[in-house]
Structure formats: structure tokens, C-alpha cells
């Protein structure tokens, strides 16, 4: 095994082009587990910790946030929790403090596990993955086009994730996760919602209930049409229930060690209804304050 | 490969490190500091918790090469000679130690909590220790020990 330690982003891209089998390494919370347990023996590790700038985030010119691949969950929670609340909530459910001190959203993206906690809020918030290769330069991949299959993503073998982009929340966002216990747990299933009041649009993300994280598009369209965007009326219980049903219909879960497909479908419906209730309550409160 | 790092204030140049090796293995088997314990090797149990550049991490999930040029503080680096750190003292006084295997990780994690949050709530203590498994104590004595350290004013050290 080789340990590659590029000192610049250009060196990292060159290394990845020359050694497409090299496994990018940042927090190590996934990769090192596989190596420790002898489940994987990559030909090379591509350690990105020394690459300058990866651990920074910035407000881009278009108003969105550009969050470097090396920004840990802990920093995301502390520094971006108020602007990316859905993602920060999901980050708070990742592993333990020790894991959150190392793990990154980019690592979650790179692993592309259907159960990755950051995927549903990235989908609900229309995040975009910034990938780059030495040969073809930068490519912007919307989260909804990023996940291709179980642990398969749109990332090419010579590409590295440099950052992700997401707009600061313009409305309430919530994340909910079912686990077999309270901490240190992989999702049985999860759900994220984001209200986008300016466009009167709803974003969703379904986690760990299909081969890939995915949006519940029918549920999004339904809710966007039914929601009282003036915030005047309380949430119609039938609308909330229907939203849950449609969200569950977007799922294509399997039976496995963590839960049955039936349970997952049911839980998605419940989480969709609950997160919507929380989000809409916040929305109404805000609308009442502004009135 | 060779890895240069600072451990508990001492510079170490460690030779013959395998590229897939963890920081935990380097600390225990090459530097000779067995305080951080090797149990699950997948970040689940927290027994190998050490500070890396001031941040508690599972040493089993840090590739040795990633520690190049960085600063590590282990459980062995918390006491000042024979004078125990207040968190260590509280664990002893409260009997929060049984077999002792999880203790170093718990103490480093509690030490970090108290350096950031001088007067944590029980919920904050539980969340901070959520990634540290103990198979003997039932956790009550551990939580009591952290509260005792708080009461004694254990702060940034």
C-alpha cells in the first residue's frame, strides 16, 4: 500500500489521475474501519489533510455557501448550524463527538451509502457537489444526480470532491432519523424536509429506504400545491397524512438486519408527517411575527 | 514509512510504519504508550480516544501518516508527573473505574468536555460520552465522577 500525501489540490488531482484506485482519505471514519478490519486493501491511500483550503467554507458570490471537503461535522454544526439547519441536524446524529470531530460530508458523499445521514438534507436543500479532475476540470453535480446505486456515485475514477454548495436556508428545515438506539447508530431510515418559501417549493430527501438516497418528488409537488404559503391557516391534518403517504411511496426499501421494508415505509410516512408539522409550525410562527 | 509527530510534548520519529497503520497502533506498539486501548478498531467504543491537535478523536480511525507533523496528547499526558488531572482524580474517588479498559477514553473525552463547558448539564455529559462504551459500570459512577470533577472546578488544563 502507498500513502500519498499531496501538498496542493493540483498534486491531489494529478495523483488521482495517475492512480484512480487510490482511496481519498480525510476523516477516515469509513476508510480506516475497512482497513482495520481487513475488508479492503486499497493500492494507495490519498490523504487530503495537508491540502490547503479544503477545511474552509465561504459565502460565494451567488449567495450560496461553498463548504470545503475537509469541513468536519463538528464544525458544520458549530459554524453553519443556523444557515444549513437541516444538514446540521443530520450531522448531530452522526456517530459520536469523536467521529464528528473527524468525519465530513464529502466523505459521506464519497462513500455514497444509502444510509449516509447527510444525503437527505443535501437532497432537500438542492445541494450541488463540486467535483474536479485534472483532465476535465470542475464539474458541478446536483445531489439528485449524484447517487447512482448502493455505494455508487456519479464521481469518475479520476475525480475528487472539492466542496459542496448549498443555499442558506430560506425557510424551515428538519431532519429525522430512526435508529435502534440514541447515539452511535446507523439509520434504519431517515427523512429530511426543506420549505423554500420564495419559490413556494418543497424539498425532501429519503434516506436508507432505497438503493440510493432519493427525493420524494410526488410528495414535494403535492405539498407545494396544498400548503398555505401565507402561513395563515394551520396545517391540514389530511394534507400532512397524504404527504406522509406519498413520501413512503417514494421509498423502495429492503428487509435487512436493521428493519423490515414494511417498517421502513411506515416510519418514512411518520417522519415525513412529523418533520412537515415541525417545519410548518416554524413557518407560521415566522409569518405571524412578520405580519 | 517514517512518521514524525509530537506525543505528550515529546517529538517522536517513528520508522517502519505500514501505510495502512492506525495512529493507535503507532502509539501503543511503536511509541510504547498503551494507555489508549485497542478494542473495536471501528470507532464504536471510544476506548482509543486521544487528542489530535487538541481535538478528541478515535486514534484507531486516524491513519498514522495523517498524524505527520501533528500533536497528540494521550491519557499518559494528562497527569502532571504524579499529580493526577482533576478528572482522573474524580474517577478514582468516585469508583468510576472497574476493569479500567474504557477509562482512558472516557477520561480524555470528559477532560475535553470540561475544558469547553465548565458546568455541563447531565444531557451534555451523556452526549459527550455517547461514543465511549463501558461493559462493567453501568455508567452511573462515570457520570457522577464527571459531576464531581465539575464540582471541584476542573477546568481548562
Amino acid at each position: 500500500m502507498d500513502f500519498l500525501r499531496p501538498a496542493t489540490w493540483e498534486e491531489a488531482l494529478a495523483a488521482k489521475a495517475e492512480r484512480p484506485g487510490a482511496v481519498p482519505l480525510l476523516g477516515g471514519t469509513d476508510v480506516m474501519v475497512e482497513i482495520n478490519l481487513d475488508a479492503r486493501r486499497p493500492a494507495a491511500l490519498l490523504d487530503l489533510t495537508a491540502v490547503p483550503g479544503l477545511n474552509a467554507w465561504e459565502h460565494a458570490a451567488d449567495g450560496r455557501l461553498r463548504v470545503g471537503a475537509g469541513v468536519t461535522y463538528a464544525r458544520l454544526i458549530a459554524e453553519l448550524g443556523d444557515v444549513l439547519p437541516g444538514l446540521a441536524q443530520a450531522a448531530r446524529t452522526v456517530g459520536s463527538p469523536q467521529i464528528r470531530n473527524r468525519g465530513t460530508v464529502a466523505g459521506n458523499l464519497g462513500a455514497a451509502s444509502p444510509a449516509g445521514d447527510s444525503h437527505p438534507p443535501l437532497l432537500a436543500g438542492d445541494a450541488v457537489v463540486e467535483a474536479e479532475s485534472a483532465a476535465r476540470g470542475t464539474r458541478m453535480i446536483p445531489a439528485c444526480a449524484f447517487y447512482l446505486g448502493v455505494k455508487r456515485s456519479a464521481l469518475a475514477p479520476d475525480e475528487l470532491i472539492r466542496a459542496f454548495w448549498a443555499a442558506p436556508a430560506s425557510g424551515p428545515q428538519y431532519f429525522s432519523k430512526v435508529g435502534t438506539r440514541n447515539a452511535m447508530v446507523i439509520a434504519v431510515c431517515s427523512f429530511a424536509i426543506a420549505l423554500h418559501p420564495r419559490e413556494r417549493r418543497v424539498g425532501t430527501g429519503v434516506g436508507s429506504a432505497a438503493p440510493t438516497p432519493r427525493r420524494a418528488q410526488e410528495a414535494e409537488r403535492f405539498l407545494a400545491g396544498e400548503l398555505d404559503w401565507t402561513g395563515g391557516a394551520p396545517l391540514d391534518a389530511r394534507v400532512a397524512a397524504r404527504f406522509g403517504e406519498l413520501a413512503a411511496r417514494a421509498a423502495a426499501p429492503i428487509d435487512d438486519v436493521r428493519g423490515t421494508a414494511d417498517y421502513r415505509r411506515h416510519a418514512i410516512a411518520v417522519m415525513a408527517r412529523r418533520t412537515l408539522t415541525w417545519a410548518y409550525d416554524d413557518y407560521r410562527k415566522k409569518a405571524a411575527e412578520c405580519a | 514509512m517514517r512518521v514524525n509527530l509530537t506525543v505528550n510534548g515529546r517529538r517522536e520519529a517513528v520508522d517502519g510504519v505500514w501505510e495502512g497503520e492506525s495512529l493507535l497502533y503507532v502509539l501503543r506498539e511503536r511509541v510504547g504508550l498503551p494507555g489508549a486501548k485497542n478494542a473495536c478498531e471501528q470507532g464504536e467504543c471510544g476506548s482509543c480516544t486521544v487528542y489530535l491537535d487538541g481535538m478528541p478523536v478515535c486514534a484507531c480511525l486516524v491513519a498514522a501518516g495523517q498524524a505527520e507533523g501533528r500533536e497528540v496528547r494521550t491519557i499518559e499526558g494528562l497527569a502532571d508527573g504524579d499529580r493526577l488531572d482533576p478528572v482522573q482524580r474524580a474517577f478514582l474517588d468516585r469508583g468510576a473505574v472497574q476493569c479500567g479498559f474504557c477509562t482512558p477514553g472516557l477520561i480524555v473525552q470528559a477532560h475535553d468536555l470540561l475544558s469547553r463547558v465548565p458546568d455541563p448539564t447531565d444531557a451534555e455529559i451523556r452526549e459527550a460520552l455517547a461514543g465511549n462504551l463501558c461493559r462493567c459500570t453501568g455508567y452511573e459512577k462515570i457520570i457522577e465522577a464527571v459531576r464531581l470533577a465539575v464540582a471541584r472546578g476542573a477546568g481548562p488544563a
Side-chain angles (χ1 to χ4, degrees):
Chain A
M1 192 183 291
D2 294 323
F3 196 85
L4 312 174
R5 203 154 197 235
T8 65
W9 180 247
E10 288 65 34
E11 276 180 38
L13 289 181
K16 189 65 174 141
E18 195 184 321
R19 307 278 301 268
V23 175
L25 185 65
L26 266 165
T29 54
D30 261 354
V31 175
M32 285 304 289
V33 173
E34 294 182 320
I35 293 173
N36 288 341
L37 303 186
D38 224 346
R40 191 181 193 185
R41 254 316 123 81
L45 289 173
L46 181 58
D47 175 30
L48 300 174
T49 38
V51 174
L54 284 187
N55 61 359
W57 58 266
E58 61 187 341
H59 291 279
D62 66 358
R64 285 185 299 168
L65 293 154
R66 178 176 181 265
V67 183
V71 173
T72 61
Y73 291 116
R75 284 188 52 215
L76 193 141
I77 295 162
E79 298 167 33
L80 295 168
D82 51 343
V83 280
L84 300 175
L87 190 56
Q89 285 167 31
R92 267 200 92 209
T93 77
V94 173
S96 61
Q98 293 95 315
I99 303 289
R100 298 194 288 274
N101 282 341
R102 296 280 296 164
T104 63
V105 170
N108 222 207
L109 283 164
S113 157
D117 291 314
S118 49
H119 308 317
L122 290 175
L123 286 166
D126 306 306
V128 175
V129 180
E130 180 186 329
E132 195 172 340
S133 64
R136 298 175 310 285
T138 300
R139 189 159 73 104
M140 303 298 274
I141 313 169
C144 60
F146 186 80
Y147 311 105
L148 298 186
V150 176
K151 299 190 177 179
R152 280 197 308 117
S153 74
L155 217 57
D158 64 344
E159 272 177 328
L160 292 173
I161 298 171
R162 188 168 195 177
F164 73 87
W165 295 62
S170 60
Q173 301 183 346
Y174 277 98
F175 173 79
S176 181
K177 167 174 164 181
V178 174
T180 46
R181 58 192 176 103
N182 225 350
M184 290 297 295
V185 79
I186 182 168
V188 173
C189 54
S190 62
F191 187 83
I193 192 170
L195 300 184
H196 304 290
R198 275 198 293 263
E199 311 102 79
R200 299 200 161 189
R201 201 164 53 77
V202 176
T204 61
V206 175
S208 206
T212 66
R214 54 166 71 163
R215 288 167 58 187
Q217 288 177 307
E218 206 187 337
E220 292 176 2
R221 280 193 296 269
F222 164 78
L223 187 59
E226 292 292 328
L227 216 53
D228 176 8
W229 289 99
T230 67
L235 184 64
D236 184 334
R238 282 166 310 182
V239 168
R242 182 67 183 148
F243 176 66
E245 272 170 37
L246 292 174
R249 203 189 277 176
I254 55 168
D255 295 317
D256 71 3
V257 289
R258 298 200 299 282
T260 63
D262 280 348
Y263 174 74
R264 285 187 161 104
R265 260 188 295 267
H266 173 73
I268 293 289
V270 172
M271 287 190 291
R273 185 160 44 78
R274 282 189 190 156
T275 52
L276 167 60
T277 307
W278 299 333
Y280 193 69
D281 281 354
D282 286 2
Y283 185 68
R284 283 193 80 208
K285 250 179 244 159
K286 191 85 183 283
E289 279 167 22
C290 298
Chain B
M1 61 179 178
R2 167 179 274 207
V3 178
N4 302 286
L5 71 171
T6 304
V7 184
N8 298 331
R10 226 181 90 177
R11 300 183 80 143
E12 305 276 354
V14 187
D15 284 311
V17 174
W18 174 59
E19 286 71 15
E21 201 164 299
S22 69
L23 171 62
L24 178 62
Y25 191 90
V26 167
L27 292 173
R28 290 178 57 85
E29 309 296 338
R30 301 193 189 275
V31 180
L33 292 172
K37 294 292 177 275
N38 182 17
C40 75
E41 291 187 285
Q42 46 188 321
E44 294 272 347
C45 76
S47 303
C48 66
T49 303
V50 300
Y51 283 110
L52 177 64
D53 283 350
M55 194 79 86
V57 302
C58 294
C60 73
L61 299 184
V62 178
Q66 294 185 294
E68 172 72 34
R70 302 179 71 175
E71 228 167 276
V72 176
R73 192 177 181 197
T74 70
I75 185 73
E76 288 95 340
L78 291 196
D80 180 9
D82 285 340
R83 234 188 65 231
L84 293 182
D85 176 86
V87 180
Q88 293 176 308
R89 185 81 256 162
F91 266 66
L92 275 182
D93 292 348
R94 257 306 165 263
V97 175
Q98 284 189 28
C99 88
F101 198 85
C102 68
T103 310
L106 277 161
I107 288 179
V108 172
Q109 193 59 21
H111 184 270
D112 170 68
L113 172 69
L114 298 196
S115 68
R116 289 179 295 107
V117 187
D119 190 13
T121 62
D122 276 9
E124 284 172 320
I125 296 173
R126 286 182 185 276
E127 184 174 9
L129 303 183
N132 293 74
L133 295 184
C134 169
R135 298 285 74 147
C136 2
T137 69
Y139 300 101
E140 282 309 315
K141 297 278 186 190
I142 291 167
I143 308 246
E144 283 174 24
V146 178
R147 284 197 209 111
L148 178 64
V150 170
R152 288 174 176 170

